[in-house]
Amino acid sequence: MIKYVLKRIGYMLITLFIIATATFFMMHSIPGDPLGAMANKLPEQAKANYYAKYGLDKSLTEQYTIFMKNLITKGDLGESLKYPGKSITDTLLTNSKVSGVTGGLALFFGVVIGVTLGIVAALNKNKWPDYLVMFIAILGITIPVFVMASLLQYLFTVKWMILPTTGWGKPKNLVLPVIAMCFGTIATYARYLKSNMLEVMGQDYILTAEAKGVSRFHIIKDHVLKNAFLPCITILGGQISGIFTGSFVIEKMFGIPGLGFYYVSSINDRDYTMIIGTTIFAAALFVVAQLLIDIVYTLLDPRIRVK
Amino acid sequence: MENDKILEVKDLSVSFNTYAGEVKAVRGVSFELNRGETLAFVGESGCGKTVTAKSILRLLKPPFAVIKEGSQITCDGKDVLALNKKELCEFRGDEVSMIFQDPMTSLNPTMTVGKQIMESLRIHRHLNKKEAREEAIKMLKMVNIPSPEKRIDNYPHEMSGGMRQRVMIAMALACSPKILIADEPTTALDVTIQAQIMDLMRELKEKMNTAIILVTHDLGVVANFADRIQVMYAGQVMERGTAREIFYEAKHPYTWALLSSAPKLAKEAKQELYALKGTPPDLILPLNCCPFASRCEYCMPICKEKNPLETTITDTHRVSCWLQHPKAPKVKSFYDREAK
């Protein structure tokens, strides 16, 4: 097992290296530069100074070497081109924490509620609870998150005036964005778990359990749930890494100082260091989440256990 | 032991509700099973063998499958069709248990085999974990699984097909049920393993005096295993009798057809194997005639008008065929032709 994990970590580092390299060159191949996005009418000398300060006057290979050296030896992603003096690493750490709290809560409630609804729907197939859950699920999938967010803001702040529209720092600031974000997750898990459960309930080994005299409750609890939940872990992996990079729309609408804002705006600003920083950060989270998911999988599913 | 009835099924009718209509899969099947006896259901696919077997444990899923009113299943004095949910759970696995066709899919892949065997012990015998584990090891030893103390913690995928079927048998027999229903227990296994499994079942049957209902389409399996055989076709029993009677004195053209389609070693090597032409009747339609009439070589006008009643030949041997009518012509039986 340890050998397997070490091997996986090795692959992860290679993946990250490739991603960093690819992002670096792709980003520089986009027309325009950070200065162009900020001010067009700077004197030539000011421009030259700016380029010199950030090393943009050097050749691409040279820039690449410097960047890689800093990244590998010091874990330093550089300084933002758009916001002078702002360290990328610090920004990532501070803002991803904010995104992580909102996204994490949303994911937690989304999974718990979604799984519960999925179980309810599967156990009451073709009866009203099933139809109700599927109705909610379809709403959750079809209503865009920004519509949901504005609806919540309208109801809870404009109409009933019980929750703040925007802001950060107090628990009550979290309520609306978390609800808005978890709605889609609820829908995904409810639908997914329902179909998985129905599939598992049709398996031969469930019939075996019935023939043994296992009660319906224990069949669901001991035989169906674990097997039905296993495939859900796969989607969970992608979502876990997603929570730290934040949601651009939600963070904008609720004024949450998360990472989502930087993640998107850095591309428009040609904020090279920020783009690379956020991309590597997201990629690293993703591969780490995948590794965790695979480890969890081997713990839960004996068929893919590594010896 | 004679006439010590453990199971009595009377007029069992089962229908499936499908989009195409009501499929009458089992049509008024009656039979009895004595303590410690082996009864085989024989017939081709779709003849209602498995449905009949599953009905005994009420494993068919309503509202899709319905056991019709008027059906009676009595097991050891218990009216099976009247059991409530809780009683049904107590009945299943304790008094009657079942093993299935495909050991590859019949075990929960994410639970150790030991746990799956212990499950029924804990439900029916109320053993604690430790006792159940010891008992499960004993069961695994009984079904000849080597080093059961280690194997008990295996997951199904770590075992071969034959071993898994042994685990299934251990699981089914864990609570020493009065009846074991084996639904094609060897179909998914290769031939050498088939023989081992059948030997094991015979040995255990004698040891535990369990009555067995064996569902199969393999006459070879039946020949030296079953005490009595019941030949089924289109949801009805066509002929029933002791194994001897069915193999050597069969009276029904369908039984003859089944017997001729089994390969025989003694025959000349190059002889073509007999194949029964046609397909079984559509079970959605009502059948007012002999269901086998359209495929029968000896079909007479009456066969297409009326379903024959059972004719009793000996105490154990009964046939549903118009050929048994006193006025029916004498036909050359399967045995006469074979003897040639």
Side-chain angles (χ1 to χ4, degrees):
Chain A
M1 186 72 189
I2 292 166
K3 208 174 145 199
Y4 168 77
V5 173
L6 288 177
K7 203 166 106 188
R8 283 289 302 269
I9 292 175
Y11 284 136
M12 271 164 53
L13 294 175
I14 298 173
T15 313
L16 288 179
F17 176 77
I18 295 172
I19 288 173
T21 310
T23 321
F24 182 87
F25 287 106
M26 275 159 67
M27 183 184 72
H28 281 278
S29 67
I30 313 173
D33 61 37
L35 213 50
M38 287 189 287
N40 296 325
K41 290 179 183 161
L42 278 179
E44 277 308 309
Q45 187 53 45
K47 275 191 190 177
N49 287 348
Y50 178 86
Y51 286 132
K53 177 169 190 273
Y54 293 102
L56 293 171
D57 52 348
K58 298 195 176 72
S59 78
L60 206 53
T61 33
E62 238 174 306
Q63 284 185 44
Y64 175 70
T65 330
I66 296 170
F67 157 74
M68 270 301 167
K69 211 200 267 162
N70 281 337
L71 180 61
I72 294 169
T73 54
K74 293 185 276 184
D76 181 15
L77 288 160
E79 190 182 309
S80 168
L81 303 185
K82 165 99 178 171
Y83 309 99
K86 207 167 178 166
S87 149
I88 303 290
T89 322
D90 287 350
T91 313
L92 288 177
L93 291 180
T94 339
N95 294 24
S96 68
K97 239 180 256 160
V98 173
S99 293
V101 170
T102 349
L105 281 172
L107 186 63
F108 174 76
F109 286 114
V111 172
V112 170
I113 299 172
V115 164
T116 316
L117 290 182
I119 295 171
V120 170
L123 295 183
N124 295 287
K125 195 189 158 202
N126 292 338
K127 290 184 203 143
W128 69 264
D130 179 22
Y131 295 133
L132 181 69
V133 169
M134 286 306 113
F135 179 69
I136 297 173
I138 287 172
L139 286 187
I141 284 173
T142 48
I143 296 182
V145 68
F146 58 87
V147 175
M148 193 61 203
S150 11
L151 182 71
L152 287 172
Q153 282 179 333
Y154 171 72
L155 290 177
F156 284 89
T157 57
V158 180
K159 209 141 185 228
W160 302 326
M161 291 190 275
I162 39 177
L163 288 166
T165 340
T166 55
W168 182 251
K170 287 184 209 118
K172 63 180 179 184
N173 290 126
L174 277 169
V175 179
L176 291 184
V178 166
I179 295 179
M181 280 168 83
C182 74
F183 205 48
T185 316
I186 291 177
T188 315
Y189 281 90
R191 288 168 56 97
Y192 208 55
L193 205 79
K194 180 197 160 186
S195 67
N196 285 349
M197 275 196 52
L198 290 178
E199 199 195 308
V200 172
M201 280 154 85
Q203 294 289 324
D204 287 351
Y205 55 84
I206 300 302
L207 192 68
T208 310
E210 266 175 54
K212 264 193 285 189
V214 183
S215 65
R216 186 168 158 83
F217 172 77
H218 280 280
I219 286 184
I220 302 294
K221 180 175 142 280
D222 300 341
H223 292 273
V224 178
L225 276 185
K226 189 174 170 193
N227 288 305
F229 193 72
L230 277 178
C232 290
I233 293 173
T234 314
I235 17 175
L236 196 60
Q239 285 178 320
I240 287 178
S241 59
I243 59 176
F244 291 100
T245 46
S247 154
F248 178 68
V249 178
I250 290 289
E251 286 174 6
K252 248 229 128 133
M253 287 184 79
F254 291 99
I256 300 167
L259 197 60
F261 169 73
Y262 290 103
Y263 197 40
V264 177
S265 63
S266 64
I267 296 166
N268 286 330
D269 296 338
R270 302 284 185 279
D271 191 345
Y272 292 154
T273 43
M274 184 66 96
I275 300 178
I276 295 192
T278 44
T279 311
I280 292 179
F281 183 66
L285 283 172
F286 189 78
V287 287
V288 170
Q290 290 302 319
L291 176 66
L292 288 179
I293 290 303
D294 285 348
I295 291 172
V296 171
Y297 243 126
T298 58
L299 294 179
L300 289 182
D301 191 340
R303 283 165 298 183
I304 51 174
R305 200 159 285 172
V306 233
K307 292 238 166 71
Chain B
M1 216 172 82
E2 276 303 300
N3 289 331
D4 189 2
K5 246 185 274 168
I6 182 92
L7 177 77
E8 190 174 7
V9 173
K10 245 190 206 160
D11 290 322
L12 177 71
S13 297
V14 183
S15 287
F16 291 104
N17 298 313
T18 67
Y19 285 115
E22 184 190 340
V23 177
K24 299 189 186 80
V26 174
R27 304 165 180 235
V29 166
S30 305
F31 63 91
E32 285 162 10
L33 182 69
N34 295 327
R35 230 174 265 275
E37 181 191 40
T38 305
L39 172 68
F41 293 174
V42 177
E44 64 196 282
S45 303
C47 68
K49 306 172 298 228
T50 301
V51 178
T52 308
K54 280 187 180 169
S55 306
I56 299 167
L57 273 176
R58 282 183 43 197
L59 281 174
L60 301 162
K61 298 265 178 310
F64 173 63
V66 189
I67 296 178
K68 290 286 188 186
E69 219 147 295
S71 309
Q72 266 181 44
I73 301 176
T74 319
C75 178
D76 209 12
K78 221 177 251 164
D79 182 357
V80 176
L81 296 178
L83 295 178
N84 66 27
K85 265 187 197 165
K86 198 170 159 260
E87 292 165 332
L88 193 61
C89 281
E90 284 163 10
F91 171 73
R92 289 171 174 169
D94 190 25
E95 297 191 38
V96 181
S97 61
M98 186 157 180
I99 54 180
F100 297 91
Q101 192 172 26
D102 190 353
M104 294 311 201
T105 57
S106 299
L107 290 166
N108 186 343
T110 60
M111 204 189 253
T112 60
V113 293
K115 233 176 164 185
Q116 295 187 56
I117 299 173
M118 281 152 68
E119 213 176 11
S120 48
L121 287 165
R122 300 196 65 184
I123 298 169
H124 300 299
R125 299 249 215 101
H126 310 287
L127 300 182
N128 65 33
K129 252 189 189 154
K130 212 176 138 234
E131 293 164 338
R133 194 181 158 86
E134 273 161 27
E135 193 61 32
I137 293 176
K138 246 186 246 165
M139 289 310 296
L140 286 177
K141 199 175 273 166
M142 205 168 81
V143 296
N144 302 331
I145 289 202
S147 50
E149 300 82 6
K150 274 187 214 152
R151 285 300 194 167
I152 191 165
D153 292 318
N154 275 175
Y155 286 92
H157 72 278
E158 294 167 308
M159 294 185 154
S160 68
M163 275 173 110
R164 290 191 212 183
Q165 197 62 299
R166 286 167 197 273
V167 169
M168 284 295 291
I169 294 172
M171 207 159 87
L173 294 179
C175 298
S176 340
K178 293 165 190 147
I179 305 173
L180 172 70
I181 302 172
D183 184 4
E184 312 215 16
T186 56
T187 308
L189 304 172
D190 69 56
V191 186
T192 47
I193 307 297
Q194 278 184 12
Q196 289 176 15
I197 295 288
M198 292 318 289
D199 286 344
L200 174 69
M201 281 181 48
R202 189 178 309 127
E203 187 195 313
L204 294 179
K205 178 193 125 174
E206 267 147 36
K207 208 187 266 175
M208 307 176 79
N209 196 27
T210 311
I212 295 183
I213 292 179
L214 176 71
V215 177
T216 183
H217 53 243
D218 188 344
L219 285 170
V221 165
V222 170
N224 41 32
F225 187 70
D227 298 318
R228 284 193 300 126
I229 298 173
Q230 169 164 313
V231 179
M232 294 184 69
Y233 184 79
Q236 297 179 16
V237 179
M238 306 305 266
E239 183 166 11
R240 64 181 97 212
T242 60
R244 234 208 103 67
E245 283 162 340
I246 295 294
F247 277 98
Y248 299 105
E249 286 151 37
K251 303 279 187 218
H252 200 289
Y254 180 62
T255 314
W256 295 343
L258 282 184
L259 291 169
S260 351
S261 45
K264 288 166 208 72
L265 286 176
K267 272 197 175 171
E268 294 123 75
K270 281 190 182 161
Q271 195 179 352
E272 201 179 309
L273 194 61
Y274 173 83
L276 177 58
K277 286 180 189 62
T279 50
D282 187 349
L283 293 176
I284 291 181
L285 307 171
L287 277 178
N288 299 321
C289 58
C290 169
F292 190 57
S294 62
R295 299 170 83 183
C296 183
E297 284 176 51
Y298 310 96
C299 181
M300 301 175 289
I302 180 81
C303 300
K304 299 204 163 179
E305 282 161 25
K306 264 183 159 175
N307 204 346
L309 292 174
E310 266 196 333
T311 317
T312 307
I313 294 176
T314 68
D315 268 358
T316 46
H317 194 181
R318 276 181 282 168
V319 188
S320 304
C321 181
W322 283 118
L323 286 178
Q324 298 308 315
H325 195 270
K327 286 182 190 162
K330 292 281 164 283
V331 298
K332 227 180 197 182
S333 80
F334 158 71
Y335 304 100
D336 300 332
R337 284 187 298 171
E338 286 288 290
K340 237 184 343 186

